[in-house]
Amino acid sequence: MKRLVILGAGTAGMMVANKLRRRLPLREWQITVVDRDDVHLYQPGLLFVPFGVYRPAQLTRSRRRLLRSGIQFLTGEIERIDPVAKTVRLGDGTAVGYDYLVVATGTSPRPDQTPGMLGAEWRKSIFDFYSYEGSVALADALRDFTGGRLVVHIVDQPIKCPVAPLEFTFLAEAYFRSRGMRDQVEIVYATPLSGAFTKPIASARLGDMLDERKIAVEADFLVERIDSERKMLVSYDEREIEFDLLVTVPLNMGADFIARSGLGDELNYVPVDKHTFQSTAYPDIFVLGDAADLPISKAGSVAHFAAEIFTGNFCQYVEGHPMTGSFDGHANCFVESGDGKGLLIDFNYDTEPLPGSFPLPVVGPLGLLRENARNHWGKLAFRWIYWHVLLPGRRLPVPTHLSMTGKKQPDKEI
Amino acid sequence: MPVVTIGPAEVHVDAEGFLTQYGEWTEELAAQLAAQIGIELTDAHWKAISFLRADYPQRGETATLRRVSTLAGIPIKQLFVLFPGKPAKKMAYVAGLPKPRGCV
């Protein structure tokens, strides 16, 4: 029996496990998935919890039950990988041997990495929404907010779902308007980037949308610490931003066992070939999803397109054939903009998000870098697709590689 | 890709003036690039620039502030003092490397 071990049963690990279960014969392969618990969280839903759109119970399912039959599921903390002995050591001492290893343990918000964040104001006036507990606590805080300065803040890049802080900002603005209290709330968006987003055309469009909504942007703001007594963000270049309510995206880091195993970079991401996800250090280790150091957004859509490429490649690799699939960095994200509308962005390693329509020219039905209600409904419908198409490893009728169909390239050198 | 003359050298740069050819950089050029943005290079500056130059060929991309801080052992706070305002961009500019991706 050949042994495939998959660490992590989040979006990437779940898709890879279920896809490979169908491709690899049961009598020849033992597939084992390891995660610390049995609760799979629909992370895209966390954005909506603070605004009361989803009840938390709608966002979780049993990992074990989401995995196809024939896959072994173990729960336990991962202590370390020994890539030479090809063994994964768990916290309780269990050793799990592998022939091939998939690391899909993602990235996590780390509020402990910014001095003062976890002080007396944590979850009183300082919140995150990338965790289940954080988004639930923030719902109460928003409901009870009577006015003042809301600061939405990103500690540093890269973060998973890099559009989510903008979406949160748009939704918060619409939320306060709908409650008739927009005049009592000042909204500031503080980012380490030089503008609203990372890529120029999308950054300009999203920046205009912040302007239209009277949201101030504090750019190039790299936080050094939070002074929780004075309720102040303090940057390395000694700028200060006062807040009444702070919604922050803590530093994101890969899992600590990656560092203990000597496999990670300075943020515990594993260096890989950006077209095949193969570890640059150990050829029998592949890294899928947010855990890899790919130069593209950390996002579920990336994990999805990556998993499509990877499963074909993996079947070639284990037969001793060259891997013919090559990932182009394709990402595709809905961006909620408030008032029941949204945008869609579609991009890859070489092509930044462009305006246009998706997947077809003119008729769309989805608009690229344009607000419309169909994008919003697309985003909400995605939850069903996630549980019933993506995680079971079924194919979604969307091209795996980026297509220029429907996209418009504005004149360069604006 | 425009070619500009900096001191005695002709080099290729992008629209924002970042060098596009790793091999065209020299230490003398670094001093002149630094002068253009109002920085006089000291040993502390060189420690950061040397790290960036050595790291780039291995990684294929310009190191982030956090990477410089962690691996070269220079606190981020000090990088802001050495290269005021936008240290990641200024370091890359002086080291003759592409503007850091900042991210994606």
Side-chain angles (χ1 to χ4, degrees):
Chain A
M1 288 289 263
K2 282 177 277 192
R3 298 162 303 170
L4 167 65
V5 173
I6 298 170
L7 303 181
T11 306
M14 191 70 76
M15 285 189 292
V16 165
N18 284 336
K19 279 177 184 293
L20 284 176
R21 176 64 289 162
R22 297 207 292 183
R23 301 280 293 262
L24 302 171
L26 256 178
R27 62 187 181 283
E28 292 172 29
W29 284 88
Q30 181 183 23
I31 301 180
T32 304
V33 176
V34 183
D35 207 304
R36 66 156 62 94
D37 58 36
D38 188 26
V39 183
H40 181 102
L41 177 63
Y42 175 64
Q43 295 187 70
L46 292 175
L47 172 67
F48 296 100
V49 172
F51 305 101
V53 176
Y54 290 131
R55 282 173 293 109
Q58 290 175 290
L59 303 181
T60 58
R61 300 224 174 156
S62 157
R63 300 186 201 271
R64 191 184 302 274
R65 293 182 56 189
L66 287 165
L67 289 167
R68 289 181 180 276
S69 64
I71 296 172
Q72 184 186 21
F73 180 64
L74 300 177
T75 52
E77 289 291 337
I78 298 159
E79 181 56 33
R80 69 174 64 234
I81 299 167
D82 182 341
V84 176
K86 297 180 103 170
T87 303
V88 178
R89 177 87 49 193
L90 304 186
D92 64 1
T94 310
V96 183
Y98 66 84
D99 297 300
Y100 303 95
L101 182 69
V102 171
V103 178
T105 40
T107 183
S108 304
R110 293 289 294 267
D112 58 307
Q113 298 290 313
T114 300
M117 196 179 281
L118 287 178
E121 290 298 314
W122 181 245
R123 304 236 164 113
K124 290 207 177 83
S125 63
I126 304 176
F127 296 85
D128 72 324
F129 66 90
Y130 276 76
S131 66
Y132 185 89
E133 299 76 13
S135 67
V136 171
L138 181 53
D140 292 340
L142 281 180
R143 199 191 52 226
D144 298 341
F145 193 54
T146 53
R149 182 187 273 180
L150 164 68
V151 178
V152 182
H153 166 247
I154 300 156
V155 170
D156 205 356
Q157 297 286 346
I159 56 170
K160 60 180 150 187
C161 196
V163 292
L166 279 169
E167 296 180 277
F168 178 84
T169 309
F170 294 142
L171 290 173
E173 196 274 339
Y175 173 83
F176 291 127
R177 232 179 324 110
S178 74
R179 285 182 49 189
M181 58 181 288
R182 180 66 183 87
D183 290 350
Q184 284 103 64
V185 184
E186 182 189 357
I187 306 178
V188 177
Y189 188 79
T191 170
L193 299 173
S194 295
F197 194 55
T198 53
K199 310 279 180 133
I201 295 171
S203 182
R205 176 72 197 106
L206 294 163
D208 287 347
M209 289 171 59
L210 290 170
D211 279 350
E212 287 159 13
R213 289 162 172 77
K214 306 273 184 288
I215 295 163
V217 177
E218 186 75 26
D220 295 307
F221 187 90
L222 194 61
V223 73
E224 182 189 16
R225 61 192 171 86
I226 296 177
D227 184 336
S228 61
E229 230 162 80
R230 294 165 58 227
K231 289 197 171 181
M232 201 81 83
L233 287 164
V234 184
S235 71
Y236 282 105
D237 55 357
E238 288 164 17
R239 280 181 281 163
E240 295 189 326
I241 303 175
E242 198 173 4
F243 61 84
D244 296 298
L245 179 61
L246 174 65
V247 177
T248 187
V249 182
L251 185 67
N252 277 207
M253 292 177 75
D256 284 334
F257 79 84
I258 305 268
R260 288 197 291 272
S261 310
L263 290 170
D265 66 11
E266 69 283 359
L267 288 171
N268 302 346
Y269 298 126
V270 186
V272 295
D273 179 291
K274 69 177 185 175
H275 300 297
T276 64
F277 324 108
Q278 189 171 33
S279 154
T280 52
Y282 301 97
D284 291 335
I285 298 181
F286 293 84
V287 186
L288 272 290
D290 297 345
D293 76 338
L294 298 181
I296 193 71
S297 295
K298 296 192 177 297
S301 65
V302 172
H304 163 231
F305 297 127
E308 295 277 340
I309 303 277
F310 168 72
T311 44
N313 276 353
F314 185 74
C315 295
Q316 294 171 329
Y317 181 71
V318 299
E319 294 295 328
H321 301 311
M323 295 184 279
T324 55
S326 178
F327 181 57
D328 67 351
H330 192 188
N332 178 300
C333 308
F334 288 108
V335 184
E336 278 292 296
S337 57
D339 304 309
K341 292 183 185 168
L343 294 74
L344 183 67
I345 55 177
D346 191 59
F347 56 109
N348 71 6
Y349 289 142
D350 304 316
T351 304
E352 64 172 305
L354 296 171
S357 55
F358 184 87
L360 299 171
V362 189
V363 294
L366 301 173
L368 292 171
L369 271 182
R370 283 189 289 129
E371 281 182 87
N372 69 31
R374 289 186 297 277
N375 293 328
H376 167 71
W377 291 112
K379 178 145 185 150
L380 293 187
F382 184 73
R383 187 166 62 100
W384 188 91
I385 293 171
Y386 182 85
W387 294 124
H388 298 281
V389 181
L390 283 190
L391 291 193
R394 300 196 180 98
R395 276 194 73 92
L396 195 65
V398 170
T400 302
H401 290 102
L402 180 116
S403 158
M404 288 304 287
T405 305
K407 293 189 174 64
K408 296 194 196 94
Q409 178 79 56
D411 296 336
K412 290 241 163 128
E413 310 286 339
I414 310 163
Chain B
M1 218 53 94
V3 177
V4 297
T5 305
I6 300 174
E10 284 206 336
V11 292
H12 294 80
V13 297
D14 69 9
E16 291 178 87
F18 289 80
L19 263 65
T20 55
Q21 306 288 321
Y22 181 84
E24 288 182 350
W25 182 90
T26 61
E27 294 193 357
E28 296 71 40
L29 192 62
Q32 296 189 347
L33 289 167
Q36 290 194 353
I37 52 171
I39 292 172
E40 193 177 331
L41 296 178
T42 64
D43 288 353
H45 293 95
W46 277 111
K47 187 177 172 189
I49 291 164
S50 305
F51 172 78
L52 279 166
R53 289 291 301 176
D55 190 60
Y56 182 82
Q58 294 171 33
R59 301 271 301 181
E61 60 183 30
T62 305
T64 61
L65 283 187
R66 214 164 282 275
R67 185 169 175 85
V68 176
S69 167
T70 308
L71 298 185
I74 309 168
I76 293 178
K77 185 95 182 169
Q78 196 191 347
L79 294 172
F80 270 90
V81 174
L82 294 170
F83 301 92
K86 301 186 178 189
K89 276 181 203 161
K90 287 185 174 174
M91 280 193 298
Y93 180 77
V94 175
L97 300 174
K99 190 168 77 169
R101 208 187 302 274
C103 228
V104 266

